Amino acid sequence: MIRHLVLFKLNEGVAKDDPRAQAAAAGFDGLDRQIPELLEWQCGWNVSPRDVAYDYALNSLFADQDALKAYATHPAHVAVAEQWRAIATLVVADFEV
């Protein structure tokens, strides 16, 4: 199993209530119903007030590397990833569980 974590930091001048940020977050809604390789799917806005905190987080689970690759290239994921890349920087960690 592969745990896939992504943290998003909104770019300067982009706030959580920005329509682009809201659209990007909404793009993740239901992605788990569109991509069968997603075994677990959690995402949401950060609630921590700490300066080092990122703004949005994604936590997902895949059976293996092939399933993760299928997710990464799925058109629904590609579309929402493009929205996020336009407004945020991100960090990714994938690890075996």
Side-chain angles (χ1 to χ4, degrees), residues 27-47:
F28 281 143
D29 292 343
L31 210 58
D32 55 333
R33 293 186 297 279
Q34 298 176 53
I35 303 175
E37 289 82 9
L38 275 166
L39 302 178
E40 292 180 12
W41 182 249
Q42 301 168 317
C43 53
W45 290 103
N46 172 55
V47 297

Side-chain angles (χ1 to χ4, degrees), residues 8-29 45 55-56 79-89:
F8 301 86
K9 180 67 104 174
L10 294 172
N11 293 338
E12 191 171 327
V14 179
K16 176 182 172 181
D17 61 351
D18 185 300
R20 297 170 296 167
Q22 290 299 305
F28 281 143
D29 292 343
W45 290 103
D55 298 303
Y56 195 87
V80 72
E82 288 176 3
Q83 288 180 290
W84 277 107
R85 284 190 190 98
I87 62 166
T89 57

Side-chain angles (χ1 to χ4, degrees), residues 1-4 35-40 60-72 94-97:
M1 303 290 258
I2 305 293
R3 177 70 61 192
H4 174 65
I35 303 175
E37 289 82 9
L38 275 166
L39 302 178
E40 292 180 12
S60 54
L61 183 69
F62 298 88
D64 53 30
Q65 287 287 349
D66 289 337
L68 179 57
K69 288 177 189 173
Y71 158 79
D94 298 323
F95 59 94
E96 292 185 358
V97 293

